[in-house]
Amino acid sequence: MLLFEISMLLTSACAVLLAGWLWWQGQRQRAMPALAGFAAMMALWCAGHIAIMQGWQTLGMALVLANPLMPMFFLHFAVRFVATGYSDALLTRVQRTIPLLYGLTVLLILLSWQFQGGRITHSSHFEAFFAFQGIGWVNLLYTVLLGIAAHGVLAYGWRVHSGNRRRSIEAMFMAGGWGLMLATSFVFLSFGLDWYPWPMLLLPSYLVLLVYGVVRYQLLGINAFANKALLWFVMLVLVMALMALVSASLGQLGMRALAEVPAWQLWLYSVVLLLLASACYQPVARLARGLIYPGVQLTELMLERWRLQLQKSESWPELARLSEQLLSQQLRMNVGVELPDTPLSTAALKIRCQRGLQDWYYELPGWEDVTPGYRLQGEVFAALLLSSCRILEQSLKLADAERKRLDQEHLVELGALSASIAHELRNPLNIISMAAATTPMETRSHIQQQLKRADRLIADLLSYSGQLSLQCSWLPLRPMLEGLKAQQDWQGVQVELQVPDSLQLYADSYRLQQVMINLVDNAMAFCRNQPEAMIQISASATDQMIEIQVHNNGPAIPAEQRAALFQPFVSKRSGGSGLGLAIVRRIMQAHGGEVEHRDDLGWPVSFVLHFRQPQEPIITTQDTAHE
């Protein structure tokens, strides 16, 4: 009986505190006052049980019979909670019935009081306990129906909401199931069952879990409070268990006087001691920090100021400079900070932040011999700096992506301008060509040579900047290459074809010729002055890929030039436009293929074309022709 009274007292006390707190939160959350009413009614309901056991039976029965107000307040809360951020005709109709349901609830409570809806009974465990009778059963049934209606509204809210609001509803359902299991034992004696209502001893947990489930996703500050509350609750349980063990052991040790002290007094002393410890925790913690970490002046305000200042940095050198300044001012000694793209620091104390495979990490070189207080400040600052490094890294990535987007837009504009200028240049060049017809042979030959060069440059500009429209078909590769070979002035360079006779390629004939001419011209420009200059073109096929290789024995391409090899306007040969390889790459990309430079195929310079072929058989033979 004593345990039951303590449980009801704890539940009532918790409910009063929660009701006050929820009412205060109602200034920002419109659903909270109704939940505060639910908590207040639970406090009165528990107080009614205590009043019955203390002999105030009339008051106690009146408070217990008022229990329909508990689910009524909860139904009101559920409607407001679901309607926050969402509204439809169904919720509107339910909201309009709330005042009517309040009136019906109060009427039923008054009838229950008037017609004695309850009685006082006793059992082997209780001298006085509440049991329903007569209209009291209607009271109980109505209470259950209101609870079902409230959870029905929550189920509807779970369907229409998402995110944290849905998570809150899920938590309320779990807490409701727990509460139903606990409250079921309340009606044991009403049904004539002489069972002790053990589940009701855990009733304080129901209210706490219910309210916490509601607010933990809505008010983030409550989670820190819940963390501390859970810690102190576990400590309370452990101390009470220890006191019970000590009380049982004192008699065996001959300390009869201490063994006869009532258990509830020992538990009360334990609670008082824990409350005193809780009150002294912060001052003692500050004193302990002062003794263990002397000179440390870290405050939440200072940490927030550091965080805001560090996040203003827009580059790695700026972040390193600001970090050194802030920490050096705090410690009154020179501290170096090493970040990516910053020089190594010569300071004795350093903070080094680096990007690992998974995440950022920090090192503290030179901090081994400093005092614990300085070490603590260094580690706290390094943790803040790591957070700023992550933010800056993301900012730089976003800035780089934006810069590339703007560069792409600029290239598109430049391409359109180049195409326009190239078209306009053709007219004056034609006039110059016609005017040169009457000039001396030597002069005319020189003019025609330069006009051909200008026309080739214009053609390259149009190819690179214009729209690529492909007209693909199946082409016999070897005849096309032999035709190019016959048309080209090889200037003493030996050419060798290693292409199967029956190999067919699905590509645009004109664009493919353009690719091969650009690669061959590029190869000739570098190898024609070499002894025994040679260019070899080979091809091979698989089920879904055709590979064309263009080799030459000219000088190898330096490693520092390979990264920009296919970039436009990058030319390393005299008279080149810098667009040949860029055009090759663009045409290959339009075909869904790739081009790459290789130096590991037995030749100083090799360019490999990869054409992905459609799902159609490609006829090829194993014999290879040589020229």
Side-chain angles (χ1 to χ4, degrees):
M1 184 172 174
L2 177 61
L3 288 177
F4 187 84
E5 285 191 75
I6 292 175
S7 174
M8 293 295 101
L9 182 61
L10 285 175
T11 305
S12 184
C14 291
V16 169
L17 293 175
L18 285 172
W21 183 79
L22 289 168
W23 184 266
W24 175 69
Q25 288 294 328
Q27 300 173 8
R28 294 177 292 178
Q29 305 266 346
R30 64 184 298 266
M32 293 306 172
L35 190 60
F38 170 81
M41 285 309 304
M42 176 164 279
L44 294 176
W45 186 80
C46 293
H49 285 285
I50 296 173
I52 290 173
M53 287 184 283
Q54 293 297 324
W56 303 328
Q57 298 178 353
T58 302
L59 175 61
M61 285 196 299
L63 294 177
V64 173
L65 286 171
N67 66 331
L69 277 175
M70 269 194 296
M72 185 62 238
F73 276 117
F74 190 73
L75 174 61
H76 190 186
F77 160 76
V79 172
R80 282 193 169 184
F81 187 83
V82 172
T84 302
Y86 180 83
S87 180
D88 60 9
L90 177 60
L91 279 177
T92 302
R93 287 196 299 269
V94 174
Q95 284 179 306
R96 289 173 180 171
T97 63
I98 292 297
L100 178 62
L101 289 175
Y102 269 117
L104 183 59
T105 302
V106 172
L107 177 62
L108 180 59
I109 292 173
L110 292 175
L111 292 174
S112 300
W113 289 348
Q114 179 67 30
F115 296 103
Q116 298 295 318
R119 59 187 173 86
I120 303 300
T121 185
H122 66 277
S123 67
S124 58
H125 307 288
F126 295 95
E127 295 180 1
F129 199 83
F130 179 87
F132 287 105
Q133 68 176 9
I135 197 173
W137 292 107
V138 179
N139 181 296
L140 178 62
L141 178 61
Y142 181 75
T143 301
V144 173
L145 291 177
L146 284 178
I148 293 174
H151 286 82
V153 172
L154 290 177
Y156 181 77
W158 184 87
R159 187 173 64 85
V160 300
H161 283 295
S162 60
N164 282 340
R165 196 159 292 273
R166 173 179 280 195
R167 297 186 187 98
S168 294
I169 293 172
E170 291 171 353
M172 281 186 261
F173 264 102
M174 289 187 286
W178 175 249
L180 177 64
M181 185 182 69
L182 299 182
T184 302
S185 60
F186 160 62
V187 296
F188 283 170
L189 288 180
S190 299
F191 286 102
L193 301 175
D194 191 10
W195 297 346
Y196 190 88
W198 291 106
M200 289 190 69
L201 299 182
L202 299 176
L203 203 56
S205 64
Y206 163 63
L207 187 62
V208 173
L209 290 176
L210 176 65
V211 175
Y212 180 56
V214 173
V215 302
R216 69 166 301 188
Y217 297 109
Q218 312 299 321
L219 305 170
L220 297 181
I222 196 64
N223 293 288
F225 170 79
N227 183 53
K228 294 180 181 179
L230 181 60
L231 172 63
W232 286 105
F233 177 75
V234 172
M235 290 178 62
L236 174 63
V237 172
L238 290 176
V239 170
M240 293 176 71
L242 179 61
M243 284 295 182
L245 179 62
V246 169
S247 177
S249 303
L250 289 177
Q252 304 296 327
L253 298 176
M255 293 181 254
R256 303 299 304 174
L258 291 176
E260 293 174 356
V261 175
W264 69 270
Q265 292 186 10
L266 293 176
W267 290 340
L268 181 61
Y269 298 154
S270 302
V271 172
V272 172
L273 287 175
L274 280 176
L275 291 176
L276 289 176
S278 176
C280 298
Y281 175 77
Q282 289 295 338
V284 172
R286 284 194 293 268
L287 176 62
R289 282 197 300 268
L291 293 175
I292 297 175
Y293 302 112
V296 176
Q297 299 178 353
L298 293 176
T299 63
E300 293 185 3
L301 182 61
M302 178 185 296
L303 296 179
E304 182 66 13
R305 181 174 60 85
W306 280 352
R307 185 184 65 83
L308 293 176
Q309 289 184 302
L310 291 175
Q311 289 182 2
K312 293 179 180 179
S313 302
E314 298 181 354
S315 64
W316 296 114
E318 182 182 357
L319 180 60
R321 179 189 57 79
L322 182 59
S323 301
E324 291 177 351
Q325 178 182 347
L326 291 174
L327 192 55
S328 298
Q329 288 178 351
Q330 173 67 15
L331 301 182
R332 294 185 177 86
M333 60 177 64
N334 187 28
V335 180
V337 175
E338 295 178 0
L339 302 176
D341 299 332
T342 61
L344 299 179
S345 174
T346 58
L349 298 180
K350 303 177 186 177
I351 294 181
R352 182 180 298 131
C353 293
Q354 297 179 341
R355 187 70 165 85
L357 294 177
Q358 301 294 332
D359 199 0
W360 286 84
Y361 68 94
Y362 68 83
E363 298 174 346
L364 298 177
W367 293 74
E368 295 81 7
D369 295 329
V370 300
T371 61
Y374 286 114
R375 174 82 183 194
L376 175 65
Q377 293 178 90
E379 291 183 349
V380 171
F381 189 88
L384 285 176
L385 184 57
L386 278 189
S387 177
S388 298
C389 287
R390 295 187 187 99
I391 294 174
L392 180 59
E393 181 185 38
Q394 294 299 320
S395 299
L396 293 177
K397 286 181 179 179
L398 292 175
D400 185 60
E402 179 66 13
R403 183 171 59 253
K404 288 181 179 178
R405 186 187 67 81
L406 294 175
D407 289 345
Q408 188 67 27
E409 290 182 357
H410 179 67
L411 285 176
V412 171
E413 294 173 357
L414 181 61
L417 178 63
S418 300
S420 175
I421 293 175
H423 280 294
E424 293 298 326
L425 282 175
R426 282 248 164 98
N427 290 330
L429 289 177
N430 290 332
I431 294 173
I432 293 173
S433 177
M434 290 185 292
T438 60
T439 61
M441 178 65 68
E442 182 179 353
T443 303
R444 185 168 64 252
S445 175
H446 180 69
I447 292 174
Q448 293 296 334
Q449 182 180 2
Q450 296 302 316
L451 286 174
K452 287 181 180 179
R453 179 182 174 187
D455 188 69
R456 178 65 182 273
L457 179 59
I458 291 172
D460 286 347
L461 280 172
L462 290 173
S463 296
Y464 186 77
S465 61
Q467 295 282 336
L468 280 182
S469 57
L470 301 181
Q471 296 179 356
C472 296
S473 61
W474 288 98
L475 307 172
L477 185 59
R478 184 177 178 82
M480 188 272 290
L481 293 176
E482 288 178 339
L484 289 179
K485 179 183 176 183
Q487 299 171 12
Q488 189 78 17
D489 180 11
W490 295 101
Q491 303 178 28
V493 177
Q494 183 179 353
V495 181
E496 182 179 272
L497 297 181
Q498 293 188 356
V499 180
D501 291 332
S502 302
L503 182 62
Q504 293 191 21
L505 176 67
Y506 189 77
D508 184 296
S509 175
Y510 171 73
R511 296 299 181 183
L512 180 60
Q513 293 182 49
Q514 193 174 6
V515 167
M516 300 308 301
I517 289 173
N518 283 357
L519 290 178
V520 168
D521 284 353
N522 186 72
M524 286 181 56
F526 287 100
C527 75
R528 61 189 170 194
N529 296 324
Q530 301 288 323
E532 300 182 357
M534 177 177 286
I535 296 175
Q536 183 188 91
I537 302 175
S538 61
S540 59
T542 62
D543 291 341
Q544 298 181 5
M545 185 75 70
I546 288 182
E547 186 177 280
I548 301 176
Q549 300 178 353
V550 181
H551 312 283
N552 72 80
N553 62 352
I557 299 175
E560 63 272 11
Q561 296 179 10
R562 295 176 185 177
L565 203 55
F566 296 99
Q567 297 297 322
F569 309 113
V570 178
S571 178
K572 298 301 180 184
R573 64 185 176 99
S574 176
S577 66
L579 289 172
L581 293 179
I583 291 171
V584 169
R585 184 181 67 171
R586 186 158 185 236
I587 293 175
M588 291 303 298
Q589 288 175 343
H591 280 82
E594 299 172 353
V595 58
E596 62 173 335
H597 165 262
R598 300 275 295 273
D599 59 0
D600 57 345
L601 300 178
W603 293 79
V605 180
S606 299
F607 287 95
V608 183
L609 306 174
H610 301 278
F611 285 91
R612 293 180 177 85
Q613 297 300 287
Q615 295 297 320
E616 180 173 334
I618 300 174
I619 303 174
T620 181
T621 59
Q622 296 299 324
D623 61 297
T624 303
H626 299 269
E627 289 193 15

